[in-house]
């Protein structure tokens, strides 16, 4: 099991920026994926971004179309932390953002992620 702790959410005006962090601890795998998802009130949990790595291949990064060019996912191996830099935020980015982890390769389907953080609220005012 992997423990995930998110931080960095808050209230920001449209056009502003926030950086979310997800600190991971616990079991590690030779091939892993960590992803960010978000869930707005009354809506499903949607994929935002993911980063995959393994002992035998380069890191791969994936984004939802709605955030491409505005959000950047990255990973600090030494700190076991994944970041989501969010720029040019829009009111429609308002949601609870969750960090998630799975062994193996990338998928955008939330159901395939085993471990989840508690979520952090991001609110973008117009």
């Amino acid at each position: 099991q992997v423990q995930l702790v998110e931080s960095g959410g808050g209230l920001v005006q449209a056009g502003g920026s926030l950086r979310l962090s997800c600190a991971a601890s616990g079991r590690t795998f030779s091939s892993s994926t960590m992803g960010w998802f978000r869930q707005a009130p009354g809506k499903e949990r949607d994929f935002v971004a993911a980063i995959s790595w393994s002992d035998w291949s380069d890191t791969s990064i994936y984004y939802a179309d709605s955030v491409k060019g505005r959000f950047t996912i990255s990973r600090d191996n030494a700190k076991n932390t994944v970041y989501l830099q969010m720029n040019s935020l829009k009111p429609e980015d308002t949601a609870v953002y969750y960090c998630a982890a799975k062994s193996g390769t990338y998928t955008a389907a939330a159901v395939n992620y085993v471990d989840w953080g508690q979520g952090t609220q991001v609110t973008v005012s117009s």
Side-chain angles (χ1 to χ4, degrees):
Q1 187 177 5
V2 177
Q3 292 76 44
L4 304 172
V5 179
E6 302 108 331
S7 60
L11 173 64
V12 65
Q13 288 188 331
S17 298
L18 283 173
R19 189 177 80 156
L20 306 183
S21 300
C22 175
S25 61
R27 189 176 177 182
T28 60
F29 302 96
S30 57
S31 174
S32 297
T33 297
M34 288 186 69
W36 287 97
F37 292 79
R38 65 187 182 186
Q39 188 166 19
K43 296 191 176 180
E44 294 184 351
R45 190 167 296 190
D46 291 332
F47 169 75
V48 175
I51 184 166
S52 291
W53 66 92
S54 70
D55 291 345
W56 55 86
S57 67
D58 294 335
T59 298
S60 299
I61 287 175
Y62 309 87
Y63 296 103
D65 287 343
S66 59
V67 306
K68 248 176 224 181
R70 300 189 298 123
F71 291 10
T72 302
I73 189 171
S74 62
R75 175 175 169 246
D76 185 326
N77 295 351
K79 295 182 179 179
N80 286 329
T81 299
V82 171
Y83 302 97
L84 185 68
Q85 178 66 43
M86 306 185 294
N87 299 329
S88 302
L89 282 161
K90 305 175 181 179
E92 51 263 43
D93 294 318
T94 295
V96 177
Y97 282 69
Y98 296 91
C99 177
K102 64 181 292 293
S103 62
T105 56
Y106 156 76
T107 173
V111 67
N112 294 126
Y113 287 78
V114 176
D115 299 296
W116 291 84
Q118 80 285 358
T120 185
Q121 177 70 46
V122 171
T123 303
V124 184
S125 63
S126 57

